[in-house]
Amino acid sequence: MTPAPTSVAARAHEIRRLVVEMALAAGSCHIGSALSIADILAVLYGGVLRDLHGRPDGSSGDRFVLSKGHAASALYAALATVDILDPHDVVAGYSQDGGAYAGHPERTTPGVTTSSGSLGHGPALALGLALADREDGTGRRTVCLVGDGELNEGSVWEAIALAGHLALPELVLVVDANGWQGLGAVADVTDLEPLDAKLAAFRWDVATVDGHDLDALGTTLAAAAPRPRAVIARTVKGSGLDFMEDTFMSHYRSLRPADRERALASLERRRAA
Amino acid sequence: MRDAFFRALAAAGRDDPRVWALTGDLGVGLFDEFTRVAPGRFLNVGIAEQTLVGAAAGLAYAGRTAVAYSIAPFLYSRAHDQVRVDVALADANVKLVGVGGGVGYGHLGPTHHAIDDLAALRALPNMTILTPGDPAEAEAATHAALAHRGPVYLRLGKNGEPSVLPAGHRLAIGRAAWLRPGADVTIASVGTMLPTALAAATELERRGVDAGVLHYGTLKPFDAGALDAALARTPVVVTVEEHSVLGGFGGAVAEAMAESGRPGLLTRVGLADTFAHAVGSREHLLARYGCAPLGVVEAARRGLARCRAVRAA
């Protein structure tokens, strides 16, 4: 079930707004990485992930594994939109001395499935969770989100190979393909295209989608497959902040207090568009 | 020890539906009984140790008790970041079982020797390290590890170790055990070196030296109280470990001795900051690197001589 696009759009805007507020309050980096997944998280937390607050029998619902932990602020923001975290708390406590929300997520935080920050861990963790889901036979799914730069990690491909071999339909891998990584363009560091063909060769069901098209994301992420499903979301780093969109430096730049007005104005323009 | 572990694993798999067993393509035939009594809860992830530990952690997050098995270095060293982040940081209910702790895979060479596992894992918060001294204790340690909630590294020898612990011996996590008292020197040994320590104590007795043997079946949490009791008897301690002398058992004892406030003199037996480059069986390598019973006897003699010299000065 995909909720009405208007509410998903509102959720996406709220996630972006909170990410910007967190970045302003903390003077922290990784804004670009958080903003590129804002729409994906809005769709996941807007209905694709079922029983987020647990099932009536007390068991957990669908799980989300954020493997690219440096986008933690987007995860905190998404959790705030579903009342698992408090929006004021996350802005006040993200990346602050004595705050409750680290720059990379910790499993002790409500709603956070795995501690991440060291890249390449999520797929194997999600595979283990999906094995448990398969044994339980309750139709629960585990969605793991990786960055495209993160695909440099060999451990990602170990897990991709095994999940394809095991044909785990309980597992969904979302690739945030924003095209940028630590020292430059993904295509210039280790070009993994054609990525869809690679994943398909590992026996995954593969779909490519505009990572900012909420309707398309909703349909694609909710679709079931008899095998593990990979969704390559083509995204824009820094999406929503027009003065840093699709730039290398959006990985490192922090927002200064003087950026506040134009940042919020840019988000408003995007919402109106 | 390996057979004892697999016996206990199968029993646990039969009795507890939460227990899963994973391997990184090692242990031919050894999981047969487990797969018979716990169908659907065994997985060979292939030669992919990062996935071995990661998937075990994922299962643990989903409420399972996940056992990850491999030759020791491939487990703690190849997949150390997964051990650190997915298991230790997450305080996950994963049991890391390393076979061939120390130089158990003697002839296969240094890639297969685990000589830094105790040092590497001892520094990880939340990690419990079990170091059984004989097959019966390995079986008990397996059950203790599965009953304990949280990360455990179970360091096994290989197979065919002698049974040296008395029938009444009970493993308790975090407790060292006195196997014989001694007024002159304490031989503190960890895990697989217990038979060596006992043989050394017998030889010292023949030479008129009263040596006690204190066995650490758990390295972490470290039983500092037992060491304190040893220092109350004699200041001379010899540590014996199938590991580098740096940062592992000798390191833990040195830290505890320095903080005990009691006078003490420590001599460490183990690999002296070297890989075991020589080619040979475990027994050959232990002798070659000064870790056979006579090496322990010599270390005790040195410790006692230094102690006398210090007192005379």
Side-chain angles (χ1 to χ4, degrees):
Chain A
M1 273 284 288
T2 306
T6 50
S7 71
V8 176
R11 190 185 308 277
H13 175 77
E14 180 63 1
I15 290 172
R16 284 194 171 84
R17 188 188 69 79
L18 286 169
V19 165
V20 165
E21 291 291 358
M22 279 184 254
L24 283 164
S28 61
C29 57
H30 294 141
I31 313 161
S33 314
L35 289 173
S36 69
I37 65 168
D39 291 318
I40 298 168
L41 294 193
V43 171
L44 288 173
Y45 283 86
V48 169
L49 295 173
R50 296 154 303 179
D51 301 318
L52 279 171
H53 295 268
R55 294 178 166 185
D57 67 0
S59 65
S60 63
D62 287 346
R63 311 177 218 264
F64 176 65
V65 172
L66 179 68
S67 194
K68 50 169 277 184
H70 50 287
S73 64
L75 176 58
Y76 301 143
L79 290 169
T81 68
V82 292
D83 296 326
I84 291 176
L85 298 179
D86 179 274
H88 302 289
D89 271 3
V90 297
V91 172
Y94 169 72
S95 227
Q96 301 283 348
D97 291 349
Y101 305 98
H104 294 85
E106 282 232 48
R107 210 174 148 241
T108 44
T109 299
V112 174
T113 311
T114 67
S115 298
S116 55
S118 181
L119 293 173
H121 287 228
L125 291 168
L127 187 152
L129 287 160
L131 283 172
D133 295 341
R134 167 181 280 192
E135 185 182 29
D136 290 340
T138 56
R140 182 190 292 123
R141 296 203 307 174
T142 295
V143 178
C144 174
L145 191 152
V146 296
D148 51 357
E150 186 176 6
L151 298 177
N152 293 172
E153 295 279 8
S155 54
V156 169
W157 295 96
E158 281 187 11
I160 284 173
L162 182 60
H165 168 74
L166 295 172
L168 283 172
E170 297 83 358
L171 183 59
V172 179
L173 182 75
V174 181
V175 181
D176 169 31
N178 65 35
W180 293 101
Q181 62 182 97
L183 288 187
V186 170
D188 293 337
V189 178
T190 303
D191 190 354
L192 287 173
E193 298 298 345
L195 186 55
D196 53 354
K198 285 190 174 65
L199 291 163
F202 280 106
R203 306 184 199 170
W204 284 60
D205 186 82
V206 186
T208 301
V209 66
D210 175 345
H212 302 297
D213 180 333
L214 298 173
D215 290 334
L217 277 171
T219 307
T220 310
L221 290 171
R227 293 176 288 165
R229 185 163 169 77
V231 175
I232 302 167
R234 299 289 173 189
T235 59
V236 175
K237 192 143 184 156
S239 164
L241 294 184
D242 50 18
F243 53 92
M244 57 165 68
E245 279 183 352
D246 198 26
T247 62
F248 172 59
M249 282 312 291
S250 73
H251 191 79
Y252 298 103
R253 245 207 81 174
S254 54
L255 290 179
R256 291 174 287 274
D259 294 318
R260 181 185 190 85
E261 205 170 315
R262 66 169 175 160
L264 295 177
S266 175
L267 294 190
E268 284 301 329
R269 279 194 299 280
R270 184 187 176 90
R271 170 152 74 167
Chain B
M1 284 195 196
R2 196 184 60 195
D3 291 346
F5 160 72
F6 277 101
R7 261 197 314 279
L9 178 68
R14 183 192 60 222
D15 296 342
D16 184 347
R18 293 170 303 180
V19 174
W20 272 67
L22 288 80
T23 178
D25 207 37
L26 288 167
V28 60
L30 298 172
F31 287 95
D32 290 355
E33 179 62 10
F34 183 88
T35 53
R36 195 180 67 77
V37 299
R41 288 186 272 129
F42 165 75
L43 180 65
N44 176 13
V45 304
I47 308 164
E49 291 79 11
Q50 297 178 88
T51 294
L52 171 67
V53 177
L59 281 161
Y61 299 171
R64 273 45 168 200
T65 304
V67 177
Y69 174 89
S70 190
I71 292 178
F74 309 146
L75 191 62
Y76 76 87
S77 187
R78 180 62 173 260
H80 187 77
D81 200 43
Q82 278 73 15
V83 171
R84 177 175 176 270
V85 176
D86 304 341
V87 178
L89 173 60
D91 201 12
N93 204 22
V94 172
K95 316 306 165 186
L96 304 163
V97 180
V99 69
V103 294
Y105 282 95
H107 287 107
L108 297 188
T111 55
H112 286 55
H113 301 160
I115 63 157
D116 55 339
D117 52 341
L118 301 180
L121 298 178
R122 193 165 76 84
L124 290 179
N126 298 325
M127 186 65 70
T128 291
I129 301 177
L130 299 184
T131 47
D134 78 352
E137 195 176 40
E139 190 158 352
T142 305
H143 286 297
L146 291 165
H148 174 82
R149 182 142 191 92
V152 175
Y153 174 58
L154 174 58
R155 189 197 210 224
L156 299 176
K158 209 177 150 201
N159 223 15
E161 296 86 355
S163 293
V164 291
L165 285 159
H169 173 74
R170 291 280 172 273
L171 171 88
I173 292 179
R175 296 292 297 275
W178 283 102
L179 294 184
R180 55 184 283 171
D184 297 333
V185 57
T186 297
I187 301 174
S189 78
V190 68
T192 48
M193 291 304 277
L194 177 58
T196 303
L198 290 167
T202 302
E203 174 60 20
L204 284 164
E205 185 178 26
R206 203 181 62 78
R207 300 183 184 193
V209 177
D210 186 12
V213 174
L214 180 60
H215 164 59
Y216 279 77
T218 306
L219 176 64
K220 189 185 178 190
F222 185 78
D223 188 350
L227 188 68
D228 195 64
L231 291 170
R233 290 184 192 177
T234 166
V236 182
V237 176
V238 177
T239 55
V240 187
E241 61 193 306
E242 198 172 339
H243 187 272
S244 166
V245 295
L246 301 180
F249 179 61
V253 169
E255 291 163 16
M257 284 179 72
E259 289 182 338
S260 72
R262 292 187 188 271
L265 201 153
L266 173 65
T267 307
R268 293 168 298 164
V269 173
L271 288 164
D273 196 17
T274 179
F275 288 100
H277 288 291
V279 178
S281 66
R282 173 175 184 261
E283 289 63 34
H284 176 84
L285 295 178
L286 289 178
R288 166 72 178 70
Y289 291 95
C291 306
L294 284 180
V296 179
V297 168
E298 172 57 20
R301 193 197 58 75
R302 281 200 315 273
L304 287 164
R306 267 169 41 214
C307 187
R308 277 193 296 275
V310 168
R311 280 180 169 161

